[in-house]
Amino acid sequence: MNIPSLASISLTELQDWMKAQGLPAFRAKQVLDWRNKGLLDLDAMKNIPKQVKEVLAEHIQVQPLTLVSKQKSEDGTRKYLFALNRENQSLKHIESVLIPEKERGTVCISSQAGCVLDCPFCHTGTQKFEGNLSAAEIVAQVLAVKADLLDDPMLPELHNQVTHIVYMGMGEPLANEMEVFDSLNLLMAEDYLKLSRRRITLSTSGLVTQIERLGQDSPVNLAISLHSAINEKRNILVPINQKHDLSKLRKSLNTYPLAKARHITLEYVMLAGENDGQEDLDALVQFVNPERERVNLIRFNTYPGSAYQGSSTNVTNEFAKSLISKGIRATVRRSRGDDIMAACGQLKTAKGHS
Ligand code: SF4
């Protein structure tokens, strides 16, 4: 039987567990009040008696992650490297990123250690796949960032809150479907992190059957790593397209449930000479449904050994203008944290593999 984890246990489960251990059930709420603030360190739980802490430490997984290092970018972005506390040490490290802005604190979380999908422009894709994260390990990334903010308030107006979550870190979330769905339910649970589905975005390379199930189970904001609207090119840039091509993707996007005034985001990384020409633009205009979708153009963040170059600022801006002139909402995403390799597609744990 799996050991329960403090990061994912519900109040009712912990109350029942406490009773079964001969401990007073009311302690469960006290423990989870600390947990919900981000604190998984039993020593920090001041109103919990030593005996309760000892039983918890012996029978429950208290800390799924250990913070190994933290880097801070000039723009305030923070990148965290965590070690997974597992008996099976073949799974080692993952990364998460905090992007602080004036009125929001967004945490970008990982759902797998490495990624199997091998998109050739992506740094994470060059890392050996080491496995899926559990729901507890996914949510514990958010808790760890909350705890870090408690220790080091940086944006007083945010009261150190994590307000938004994006599943855009390491891995393909929908390739780890069950654990990711469980983690979404934990993030949204009334007695846990209480985040509205409008504040959570899941980014996928386009696993169409899983997108449909996501729409039925937890219809959070959806982002698609599109990167080309031409099948032959997308087969190379996003190899999962060989299995789930653009026509299948189109069908699943047409039926994904949208919250009021929300759009599906089509992510499009601008690669010089690869997907930034006239035929690419024409195909993209054909593909997009402007009523339900918008395009987010991403500046390519290069990394050592990358075979790709980013499009120039001029080409990127012209591309955006052309989309807008066709009635398509298009933005150019400001890159955050690229001086610490925390920007989109750059996550790769330095200690992740040999
Ligand atoms: S872009 Fe996403 S799906 Fe593709 S290799 Fe990178 S992490 Fe995996």
Side-chain angles (χ1 to χ4, degrees), residues 121 224-230 233-234 237 265-271 274-285 287-288 294-300 311 316 319 323 331-333 344:
F121 61 87
I224 302 291
S225 299
L226 186 69
H227 308 317
S228 176
I230 299 173
K233 289 194 180 188
R234 193 165 190 266
L237 290 176
T265 304
L266 303 177
E267 309 279 3
Y268 197 101
V269 66
M270 294 294 291
L271 300 171
E274 301 286 338
N275 65 356
D276 63 353
Q278 188 61 46
E279 65 160 358
D280 303 291
L281 180 66
D282 294 343
L284 186 55
V285 170
F287 183 79
V288 179
R294 64 178 183 192
V295 177
N296 194 4
L297 300 177
I298 304 167
R299 293 184 200 285
F300 178 62
S311 309
T316 305
F319 208 86
L323 291 170
T331 45
V332 179
R333 186 197 289 171
C344 188

mmCIF file of all heavy atoms in Angstrom, residues 121 224-230 233-234 237 265-271 274-285 287-288 294-300 311 316 319 323 331-333 344:
data_model
loop_
_atom_site.group_PDB
_atom_site.id
_atom_site.type_symbol
_atom_site.label_atom_id
_atom_site.label_comp_id
_atom_site.label_asym_id
_atom_site.label_seq_id
_atom_site.Cartn_x
_atom_site.Cartn_y
_atom_site.Cartn_z
ATOM 1 N N PHE A 121 13.534 21.562 -30.361
ATOM 2 C CA PHE A 121 13.979 22.904 -29.944
ATOM 3 C C PHE A 121 13.969 23.054 -28.421
ATOM 4 O O PHE A 121 14.355 24.086 -27.890
ATOM 5 C CB PHE A 121 13.056 23.973 -30.554
ATOM 6 C CG PHE A 121 11.631 23.819 -30.114
ATOM 7 C CD1 PHE A 121 11.179 24.399 -28.943
ATOM 8 C CD2 PHE A 121 10.745 23.033 -30.848
ATOM 9 C CE1 PHE A 121 9.873 24.218 -28.525
ATOM 10 C CE2 PHE A 121 9.448 22.856 -30.438
ATOM 11 C CZ PHE A 121 9.011 23.449 -29.273
ATOM 12 N N ILE A 224 -1.846 25.129 -26.052
ATOM 13 C CA ILE A 224 -1.353 24.081 -26.948
ATOM 14 C C ILE A 224 -0.001 24.513 -27.510
ATOM 15 O O ILE A 224 0.143 25.639 -28.009
ATOM 16 C CB ILE A 224 -2.328 23.869 -28.144
ATOM 17 C CG1 ILE A 224 -3.730 23.501 -27.659
ATOM 18 C CG2 ILE A 224 -1.789 22.835 -29.136
ATOM 19 C CD1 ILE A 224 -3.855 22.137 -27.026
ATOM 20 N N SER A 225 0.990 23.632 -27.427
ATOM 21 C CA SER A 225 2.276 23.917 -28.075
ATOM 22 C C SER A 225 2.102 23.626 -29.557
ATOM 23 O O SER A 225 2.287 22.492 -29.989
ATOM 24 C CB SER A 225 3.373 23.003 -27.507
ATOM 25 O OG SER A 225 3.529 23.227 -26.144
ATOM 26 N N LEU A 226 1.729 24.635 -30.304
ATOM 27 C CA LEU A 226 1.413 24.418 -31.726
ATOM 28 C C LEU A 226 2.697 24.469 -32.570
ATOM 29 O O LEU A 226 3.065 23.509 -33.217
ATOM 30 C CB LEU A 226 0.397 25.466 -32.197
ATOM 31 C CG LEU A 226 -0.118 25.249 -33.606
ATOM 32 C CD1 LEU A 226 -0.996 24.001 -33.680
ATOM 33 C CD2 LEU A 226 -0.906 26.461 -34.092
ATOM 34 N N HIS A 227 3.338 25.602 -32.603
ATOM 35 C CA HIS A 227 4.653 25.824 -33.227
ATOM 36 C C HIS A 227 4.692 25.677 -34.743
ATOM 37 O O HIS A 227 5.646 26.134 -35.358
ATOM 38 C CB HIS A 227 5.736 24.958 -32.575
ATOM 39 C CG HIS A 227 5.759 25.095 -31.082
ATOM 40 N ND1 HIS A 227 5.636 26.314 -30.454
ATOM 41 C CD2 HIS A 227 5.849 24.182 -30.088
ATOM 42 C CE1 HIS A 227 5.655 26.142 -29.156
ATOM 43 N NE2 HIS A 227 5.778 24.862 -28.895
ATOM 44 N N SER A 228 3.715 25.034 -35.330
ATOM 45 C CA SER A 228 3.547 25.089 -36.787
ATOM 46 C C SER A 228 2.138 24.613 -37.100
ATOM 47 O O SER A 228 1.617 23.726 -36.428
ATOM 48 C CB SER A 228 4.561 24.203 -37.514
ATOM 49 O OG SER A 228 4.272 24.241 -38.906
ATOM 50 N N ALA A 229 1.535 25.213 -38.130
ATOM 51 C CA ALA A 229 0.204 24.760 -38.573
ATOM 52 C C ALA A 229 0.330 23.990 -39.884
ATOM 53 O O ALA A 229 -0.640 23.853 -40.628
ATOM 54 C CB ALA A 229 -0.729 25.964 -38.705
ATOM 55 N N ILE A 230 1.549 23.518 -40.171
ATOM 56 C CA ILE A 230 1.788 22.695 -41.369
ATOM 57 C C ILE A 230 2.218 21.313 -40.869
ATOM 58 O O ILE A 230 3.221 21.194 -40.151
ATOM 59 C CB ILE A 230 2.904 23.316 -42.240
ATOM 60 C CG1 ILE A 230 2.490 24.714 -42.698
ATOM 61 C CG2 ILE A 230 3.253 22.398 -43.418
ATOM 62 C CD1 ILE A 230 3.577 25.494 -43.421
ATOM 63 N N LYS A 233 5.883 20.149 -41.084
ATOM 64 C CA LYS A 233 6.808 20.861 -40.184
ATOM 65 C C LYS A 233 6.530 20.501 -38.732
ATOM 66 O O LYS A 233 7.441 20.318 -37.932
ATOM 67 C CB LYS A 233 6.679 22.373 -40.368
ATOM 68 C CG LYS A 233 7.235 22.864 -41.682
ATOM 69 C CD LYS A 233 7.386 24.376 -41.656
ATOM 70 C CE LYS A 233 7.957 24.840 -43.004
ATOM 71 N NZ LYS A 233 8.304 26.249 -43.007
ATOM 72 N N ARG A 234 5.242 20.408 -38.403
ATOM 73 C CA ARG A 234 4.916 20.100 -37.002
ATOM 74 C C ARG A 234 5.344 18.673 -36.650
ATOM 75 O O ARG A 234 5.683 18.393 -35.505
ATOM 76 C CB ARG A 234 3.417 20.321 -36.728
ATOM 77 C CG ARG A 234 3.088 20.333 -35.243
ATOM 78 C CD ARG A 234 1.701 20.914 -34.928
ATOM 79 N NE ARG A 234 1.564 21.107 -33.494
ATOM 80 C CZ ARG A 234 1.013 20.223 -32.665
ATOM 81 N NH1 ARG A 234 0.527 19.078 -33.142
ATOM 82 N NH2 ARG A 234 0.944 20.459 -31.359
ATOM 83 N N LEU A 237 8.828 19.496 -35.478
ATOM 84 C CA LEU A 237 8.966 20.377 -34.301
ATOM 85 C C LEU A 237 8.254 19.818 -33.077
ATOM 86 O O LEU A 237 8.712 19.986 -31.938
ATOM 87 C CB LEU A 237 8.403 21.768 -34.621
ATOM 88 C CG LEU A 237 9.210 22.604 -35.613
ATOM 89 C CD1 LEU A 237 8.495 23.918 -35.908
ATOM 90 C CD2 LEU A 237 10.617 22.891 -35.079
ATOM 91 N N THR A 265 -5.096 29.076 -25.745
ATOM 92 C CA THR A 265 -3.879 29.744 -26.208
ATOM 93 C C THR A 265 -3.086 28.799 -27.101
ATOM 94 O O THR A 265 -2.815 27.651 -26.712
ATOM 95 C CB THR A 265 -2.998 30.154 -24.996
ATOM 96 O OG1 THR A 265 -3.789 30.972 -24.142
ATOM 97 C CG2 THR A 265 -1.766 30.912 -25.436
ATOM 98 N N LEU A 266 -2.749 29.279 -28.281
ATOM 99 C CA LEU A 266 -1.893 28.491 -29.171
ATOM 100 C C LEU A 266 -0.484 29.067 -29.057
ATOM 101 O O LEU A 266 -0.231 30.216 -29.445
ATOM 102 C CB LEU A 266 -2.404 28.576 -30.607
ATOM 103 C CG LEU A 266 -3.869 28.128 -30.806
ATOM 104 C CD1 LEU A 266 -4.307 28.327 -32.259
ATOM 105 C CD2 LEU A 266 -4.053 26.657 -30.408
ATOM 106 N N GLU A 267 0.407 28.276 -28.461
ATOM 107 C CA GLU A 267 1.790 28.739 -28.268
ATOM 108 C C GLU A 267 2.571 28.509 -29.558
ATOM 109 O O GLU A 267 2.479 27.433 -30.168
ATOM 110 C CB GLU A 267 2.466 27.938 -27.140
ATOM 111 C CG GLU A 267 1.685 27.866 -25.843
ATOM 112 C CD GLU A 267 1.857 29.111 -24.993
ATOM 113 O OE1 GLU A 267 2.540 30.045 -25.437
ATOM 114 O OE2 GLU A 267 1.302 29.139 -23.887
ATOM 115 N N TYR A 268 3.342 29.506 -29.931
ATOM 116 C CA TYR A 268 4.061 29.417 -31.213
ATOM 117 C C TYR A 268 5.458 30.008 -31.005
ATOM 118 O O TYR A 268 5.621 31.228 -30.915
ATOM 119 C CB TYR A 268 3.271 30.196 -32.256
ATOM 120 C CG TYR A 268 3.626 29.904 -33.700
ATOM 121 C CD1 TYR A 268 2.832 29.064 -34.476
ATOM 122 C CD2 TYR A 268 4.757 30.471 -34.294
ATOM 123 C CE1 TYR A 268 3.146 28.810 -35.810
ATOM 124 C CE2 TYR A 268 5.068 30.214 -35.618
ATOM 125 C CZ TYR A 268 4.254 29.391 -36.379
ATOM 126 O OH TYR A 268 4.562 29.129 -37.694
ATOM 127 N N VAL A 269 6.441 29.143 -30.891
ATOM 128 C CA VAL A 269 7.810 29.624 -30.665
ATOM 129 C C VAL A 269 8.386 30.057 -32.017
ATOM 130 O O VAL A 269 8.247 29.357 -33.023
ATOM 131 C CB VAL A 269 8.679 28.542 -29.971
ATOM 132 C CG1 VAL A 269 8.914 27.337 -30.848
ATOM 133 C CG2 VAL A 269 10.010 29.111 -29.493
ATOM 134 N N MET A 270 8.968 31.232 -32.069
ATOM 135 C CA MET A 270 9.416 31.797 -33.344
ATOM 136 C C MET A 270 10.845 31.348 -33.652
ATOM 137 O O MET A 270 11.807 31.779 -33.002
ATOM 138 C CB MET A 270 9.346 33.331 -33.270
ATOM 139 C CG MET A 270 7.937 33.878 -33.149
ATOM 140 S SD MET A 270 6.920 33.578 -34.626
ATOM 141 C CE MET A 270 7.704 34.639 -35.839
ATOM 142 N N LEU A 271 10.981 30.482 -34.668
ATOM 143 C CA LEU A 271 12.283 29.908 -35.019
ATOM 144 C C LEU A 271 12.695 30.401 -36.408
ATOM 145 O O LEU A 271 11.980 30.159 -37.393
ATOM 146 C CB LEU A 271 12.191 28.377 -35.009
ATOM 147 C CG LEU A 271 11.780 27.734 -33.672
ATOM 148 C CD1 LEU A 271 11.503 26.246 -33.852
ATOM 149 C CD2 LEU A 271 12.876 27.946 -32.622
ATOM 150 N N GLU A 274 12.459 28.495 -39.883
ATOM 151 C CA GLU A 274 11.777 27.211 -39.668
ATOM 152 C C GLU A 274 10.258 27.364 -39.765
ATOM 153 O O GLU A 274 9.598 26.598 -40.428
ATOM 154 C CB GLU A 274 12.116 26.634 -38.279
ATOM 155 C CG GLU A 274 13.585 26.376 -38.028
ATOM 156 C CD GLU A 274 14.091 25.149 -38.770
ATOM 157 O OE1 GLU A 274 13.279 24.279 -39.123
ATOM 158 O OE2 GLU A 274 15.314 25.076 -38.999
ATOM 159 N N ASN A 275 9.731 28.347 -39.043
ATOM 160 C CA ASN A 275 8.268 28.477 -38.985
ATOM 161 C C ASN A 275 7.826 29.935 -39.015
ATOM 162 O O ASN A 275 6.736 30.256 -38.541
ATOM 163 C CB ASN A 275 7.716 27.776 -37.719
ATOM 164 C CG ASN A 275 8.193 28.446 -36.440
ATOM 165 O OD1 ASN A 275 8.992 29.387 -36.473
ATOM 166 N ND2 ASN A 275 7.693 27.980 -35.306
ATOM 167 N N ASP A 276 8.711 30.818 -39.524
ATOM 168 C CA ASP A 276 8.381 32.250 -39.460
ATOM 169 C C ASP A 276 8.202 32.883 -40.845
ATOM 170 O O ASP A 276 8.258 34.093 -40.977
ATOM 171 C CB ASP A 276 9.433 33.015 -38.636
ATOM 172 C CG ASP A 276 10.827 32.963 -39.254
ATOM 173 O OD1 ASP A 276 11.011 32.224 -40.254
ATOM 174 O OD2 ASP A 276 11.724 33.651 -38.738
ATOM 175 N N GLY A 277 7.983 32.048 -41.877
ATOM 176 C CA GLY A 277 7.829 32.578 -43.236
ATOM 177 C C GLY A 277 6.371 32.804 -43.622
ATOM 178 O O GLY A 277 5.451 32.565 -42.820
ATOM 179 N N GLN A 278 6.163 33.240 -44.887
ATOM 180 C CA GLN A 278 4.810 33.560 -45.353
ATOM 181 C C GLN A 278 3.907 32.325 -45.358
ATOM 182 O O GLN A 278 2.747 32.383 -44.964
ATOM 183 C CB GLN A 278 4.890 34.185 -46.764
ATOM 184 C CG GLN A 278 3.568 34.738 -47.270
ATOM 185 C CD GLN A 278 3.011 35.862 -46.388
ATOM 186 O OE1 GLN A 278 3.739 36.776 -46.005
ATOM 187 N NE2 GLN A 278 1.723 35.793 -46.049
ATOM 188 N N GLU A 279 4.446 31.171 -45.819
ATOM 189 C CA GLU A 279 3.581 29.975 -45.872
ATOM 190 C C GLU A 279 3.179 29.539 -44.460
ATOM 191 O O GLU A 279 2.081 29.028 -44.239
ATOM 192 C CB GLU A 279 4.264 28.816 -46.630
ATOM 193 C CG GLU A 279 5.500 28.268 -45.960
ATOM 194 C CD GLU A 279 5.874 26.852 -46.442
ATOM 195 O OE1 GLU A 279 5.161 26.267 -47.271
ATOM 196 O OE2 GLU A 279 6.895 26.342 -45.931
ATOM 197 N N ASP A 280 4.090 29.793 -43.487
ATOM 198 C CA ASP A 280 3.768 29.440 -42.094
ATOM 199 C C ASP A 280 2.648 30.336 -41.559
ATOM 200 O O ASP A 280 1.740 29.875 -40.871
ATOM 201 C CB ASP A 280 5.019 29.590 -41.213
ATOM 202 C CG ASP A 280 6.163 28.740 -41.725
ATOM 203 O OD1 ASP A 280 6.051 27.508 -41.636
ATOM 204 O OD2 ASP A 280 7.139 29.296 -42.263
ATOM 205 N N LEU A 281 2.771 31.620 -41.902
ATOM 206 C CA LEU A 281 1.755 32.580 -41.478
ATOM 207 C C LEU A 281 0.397 32.228 -42.094
ATOM 208 O O LEU A 281 -0.625 32.178 -41.392
ATOM 209 C CB LEU A 281 2.195 33.986 -41.910
ATOM 210 C CG LEU A 281 1.272 35.124 -41.553
ATOM 211 C CD1 LEU A 281 1.183 35.319 -40.052
ATOM 212 C CD2 LEU A 281 1.750 36.413 -42.218
ATOM 213 N N ASP A 282 0.396 31.935 -43.396
ATOM 214 C CA ASP A 282 -0.875 31.607 -44.083
ATOM 215 C C ASP A 282 -1.521 30.373 -43.456
ATOM 216 O O ASP A 282 -2.733 30.341 -43.226
ATOM 217 C CB ASP A 282 -0.628 31.350 -45.587
ATOM 218 C CG ASP A 282 -0.173 32.609 -46.306
ATOM 219 O OD1 ASP A 282 -0.358 33.712 -45.738
ATOM 220 O OD2 ASP A 282 0.377 32.490 -47.416
ATOM 221 N N ALA A 283 -0.706 29.365 -43.175
ATOM 222 C CA ALA A 283 -1.249 28.128 -42.593
ATOM 223 C C ALA A 283 -1.803 28.394 -41.190
ATOM 224 O O ALA A 283 -2.855 27.861 -40.804
ATOM 225 C CB ALA A 283 -0.152 27.060 -42.532
ATOM 226 N N LEU A 284 -1.119 29.253 -40.451
ATOM 227 C CA LEU A 284 -1.580 29.564 -39.090
ATOM 228 C C LEU A 284 -2.916 30.308 -39.139
ATOM 229 O O LEU A 284 -3.846 29.987 -38.388
ATOM 230 C CB LEU A 284 -0.501 30.394 -38.374
ATOM 231 C CG LEU A 284 -0.726 30.697 -36.898
ATOM 232 C CD1 LEU A 284 -0.947 29.420 -36.080
ATOM 233 C CD2 LEU A 284 0.450 31.491 -36.323
ATOM 234 N N VAL A 285 -3.014 31.261 -40.048
ATOM 235 C CA VAL A 285 -4.272 32.019 -40.189
ATOM 236 C C VAL A 285 -5.419 31.059 -40.536
ATOM 237 O O VAL A 285 -6.523 31.166 -39.998
ATOM 238 C CB VAL A 285 -4.124 33.127 -41.274
ATOM 239 C CG1 VAL A 285 -5.473 33.743 -41.613
ATOM 240 C CG2 VAL A 285 -3.147 34.195 -40.799
ATOM 241 N N PHE A 287 -5.584 27.934 -39.718
ATOM 242 C CA PHE A 287 -5.833 26.985 -38.628
ATOM 243 C C PHE A 287 -6.617 27.592 -37.463
ATOM 244 O O PHE A 287 -7.496 26.962 -36.880
ATOM 245 C CB PHE A 287 -4.499 26.425 -38.105
ATOM 246 C CG PHE A 287 -4.667 25.387 -37.031
ATOM 247 C CD1 PHE A 287 -5.011 24.071 -37.364
ATOM 248 C CD2 PHE A 287 -4.528 25.712 -35.682
ATOM 249 C CE1 PHE A 287 -5.207 23.110 -36.371
ATOM 250 C CE2 PHE A 287 -4.723 24.759 -34.693
ATOM 251 C CZ PHE A 287 -5.049 23.455 -35.038
ATOM 252 N N VAL A 288 -6.310 28.839 -37.140
ATOM 253 C CA VAL A 288 -6.851 29.434 -35.907
ATOM 254 C C VAL A 288 -8.353 29.718 -36.032
ATOM 255 O O VAL A 288 -8.819 30.206 -37.059
ATOM 256 C CB VAL A 288 -6.125 30.764 -35.591
ATOM 257 C CG1 VAL A 288 -6.700 31.406 -34.330
ATOM 258 C CG2 VAL A 288 -4.639 30.539 -35.414
ATOM 259 N N ARG A 294 -6.450 32.197 -29.318
ATOM 260 C CA ARG A 294 -5.538 33.318 -29.541
ATOM 261 C C ARG A 294 -4.134 32.752 -29.687
ATOM 262 O O ARG A 294 -3.865 31.630 -29.249
ATOM 263 C CB ARG A 294 -5.602 34.321 -28.398
ATOM 264 C CG ARG A 294 -5.148 33.718 -27.119
ATOM 265 C CD ARG A 294 -5.154 34.705 -25.995
ATOM 266 N NE ARG A 294 -4.626 34.029 -24.814
ATOM 267 C CZ ARG A 294 -4.691 34.499 -23.605
ATOM 268 N NH1 ARG A 294 -5.270 35.639 -23.381
ATOM 269 N NH2 ARG A 294 -4.185 33.823 -22.606
ATOM 270 N N VAL A 295 -3.267 33.553 -30.266
ATOM 271 C CA VAL A 295 -1.910 33.062 -30.536
ATOM 272 C C VAL A 295 -0.927 33.806 -29.646
ATOM 273 O O VAL A 295 -0.987 35.029 -29.498
ATOM 274 C CB VAL A 295 -1.540 33.271 -32.023
ATOM 275 C CG1 VAL A 295 -0.100 32.838 -32.285
ATOM 276 C CG2 VAL A 295 -2.502 32.501 -32.918
ATOM 277 N N ASN A 296 -0.049 33.037 -29.019
ATOM 278 C CA ASN A 296 0.990 33.616 -28.181
ATOM 279 C C ASN A 296 2.333 33.325 -28.850
ATOM 280 O O ASN A 296 2.755 32.170 -28.903
ATOM 281 C CB ASN A 296 0.912 32.959 -26.794
ATOM 282 C CG ASN A 296 1.700 33.708 -25.759
ATOM 283 O OD1 ASN A 296 2.255 34.767 -26.040
ATOM 284 N ND2 ASN A 296 1.769 33.151 -24.561
ATOM 285 N N LEU A 297 2.954 34.347 -29.408
ATOM 286 C CA LEU A 297 4.252 34.152 -30.056
ATOM 287 C C LEU A 297 5.340 34.217 -28.993
ATOM 288 O O LEU A 297 5.358 35.135 -28.160
ATOM 289 C CB LEU A 297 4.487 35.229 -31.115
ATOM 290 C CG LEU A 297 3.445 35.281 -32.247
ATOM 291 C CD1 LEU A 297 3.753 36.435 -33.198
ATOM 292 C CD2 LEU A 297 3.393 33.961 -33.012
ATOM 293 N N ILE A 298 6.198 33.241 -29.014
ATOM 294 C CA ILE A 298 7.218 33.136 -27.963
ATOM 295 C C ILE A 298 8.590 33.348 -28.587
ATOM 296 O O ILE A 298 8.929 32.705 -29.587
ATOM 297 C CB ILE A 298 7.171 31.730 -27.318
ATOM 298 C CG1 ILE A 298 5.770 31.445 -26.783
ATOM 299 C CG2 ILE A 298 8.204 31.599 -26.216
ATOM 300 C CD1 ILE A 298 5.552 29.987 -26.434
ATOM 301 N N ARG A 299 9.346 34.227 -27.974
ATOM 302 C CA ARG A 299 10.739 34.387 -28.435
ATOM 303 C C ARG A 299 11.511 33.152 -28.029
ATOM 304 O O ARG A 299 11.396 32.699 -26.886
ATOM 305 C CB ARG A 299 11.368 35.609 -27.777
ATOM 306 C CG ARG A 299 10.742 36.894 -28.233
ATOM 307 C CD ARG A 299 11.506 38.066 -27.603
ATOM 308 N NE ARG A 299 10.695 39.262 -27.608
ATOM 309 C CZ ARG A 299 10.466 39.995 -28.692
ATOM 310 N NH1 ARG A 299 10.994 39.657 -29.839
ATOM 311 N NH2 ARG A 299 9.714 41.074 -28.619
ATOM 312 N N PHE A 300 12.294 32.621 -28.928
ATOM 313 C CA PHE A 300 13.039 31.398 -28.626
ATOM 314 C C PHE A 300 14.203 31.726 -27.694
ATOM 315 O O PHE A 300 15.015 32.607 -27.968
ATOM 316 C CB PHE A 300 13.569 30.787 -29.927
ATOM 317 C CG PHE A 300 14.388 29.548 -29.704
ATOM 318 C CD1 PHE A 300 13.826 28.429 -29.120
ATOM 319 C CD2 PHE A 300 15.728 29.504 -30.070
ATOM 320 C CE1 PHE A 300 14.568 27.282 -28.908
ATOM 321 C CE2 PHE A 300 16.477 28.362 -29.874
ATOM 322 C CZ PHE A 300 15.902 27.249 -29.292
ATOM 323 N N SER A 311 13.725 33.857 -34.196
ATOM 324 C CA SER A 311 13.443 34.880 -35.213
ATOM 325 C C SER A 311 13.814 36.246 -34.641
ATOM 326 O O SER A 311 13.772 36.449 -33.420
ATOM 327 C CB SER A 311 11.946 34.883 -35.541
ATOM 328 O OG SER A 311 11.512 33.583 -35.846
ATOM 329 N N THR A 316 9.299 38.813 -35.716
ATOM 330 C CA THR A 316 8.288 38.392 -34.728
ATOM 331 C C THR A 316 7.167 39.426 -34.652
ATOM 332 O O THR A 316 5.978 39.079 -34.684
ATOM 333 C CB THR A 316 8.949 38.204 -33.340
ATOM 334 O OG1 THR A 316 10.025 37.286 -33.489
ATOM 335 C CG2 THR A 316 7.966 37.676 -32.310
ATOM 336 N N PHE A 319 5.034 39.348 -37.767
ATOM 337 C CA PHE A 319 4.200 38.132 -37.734
ATOM 338 C C PHE A 319 2.950 38.403 -36.887
ATOM 339 O O PHE A 319 1.824 38.107 -37.282
ATOM 340 C CB PHE A 319 5.035 36.994 -37.130
ATOM 341 C CG PHE A 319 4.671 35.614 -37.583
ATOM 342 C CD1 PHE A 319 5.198 35.063 -38.737
ATOM 343 C CD2 PHE A 319 3.822 34.812 -36.815
ATOM 344 C CE1 PHE A 319 4.879 33.766 -39.148
ATOM 345 C CE2 PHE A 319 3.490 33.518 -37.206
ATOM 346 C CZ PHE A 319 4.029 32.994 -38.378
ATOM 347 N N LEU A 323 -1.113 38.657 -38.057
ATOM 348 C CA LEU A 323 -2.188 37.871 -37.444
ATOM 349 C C LEU A 323 -3.312 38.793 -36.990
ATOM 350 O O LEU A 323 -4.497 38.537 -37.242
ATOM 351 C CB LEU A 323 -1.649 37.065 -36.250
ATOM 352 C CG LEU A 323 -0.697 35.907 -36.588
ATOM 353 C CD1 LEU A 323 -0.049 35.359 -35.317
ATOM 354 C CD2 LEU A 323 -1.444 34.784 -37.307
ATOM 355 N N THR A 331 -0.261 37.934 -29.315
ATOM 356 C CA THR A 331 0.630 38.681 -28.440
ATOM 357 C C THR A 331 2.035 38.102 -28.579
ATOM 358 O O THR A 331 2.202 36.943 -28.964
ATOM 359 C CB THR A 331 0.212 38.556 -26.962
ATOM 360 O OG1 THR A 331 -0.085 37.185 -26.703
ATOM 361 C CG2 THR A 331 -0.997 39.388 -26.615
ATOM 362 N N VAL A 332 3.003 38.908 -28.232
ATOM 363 C CA VAL A 332 4.385 38.409 -28.174
ATOM 364 C C VAL A 332 4.726 38.308 -26.702
ATOM 365 O O VAL A 332 4.657 39.304 -25.983
ATOM 366 C CB VAL A 332 5.366 39.369 -28.892
ATOM 367 C CG1 VAL A 332 6.797 38.828 -28.796
ATOM 368 C CG2 VAL A 332 4.954 39.565 -30.335
ATOM 369 N N ARG A 333 5.020 37.099 -26.260
ATOM 370 C CA ARG A 333 5.248 36.898 -24.827
ATOM 371 C C ARG A 333 6.613 37.467 -24.419
ATOM 372 O O ARG A 333 7.624 37.209 -25.064
ATOM 373 C CB ARG A 333 5.219 35.416 -24.482
ATOM 374 C CG ARG A 333 5.312 35.191 -22.965
ATOM 375 C CD ARG A 333 5.691 33.790 -22.626
ATOM 376 N NE ARG A 333 4.635 32.847 -22.904
ATOM 377 C CZ ARG A 333 4.814 31.528 -22.853
ATOM 378 N NH1 ARG A 333 5.999 31.023 -22.562
ATOM 379 N NH2 ARG A 333 3.822 30.708 -23.103
ATOM 380 N N CYS A 344 10.727 29.729 -20.896
ATOM 381 C CA CYS A 344 10.001 28.627 -21.509
ATOM 382 C C CYS A 344 10.911 27.722 -22.343
ATOM 383 O O CYS A 344 11.685 28.201 -23.161
ATOM 384 C CB CYS A 344 8.931 29.231 -22.408
ATOM 385 S SG CYS A 344 7.820 28.030 -23.039
#
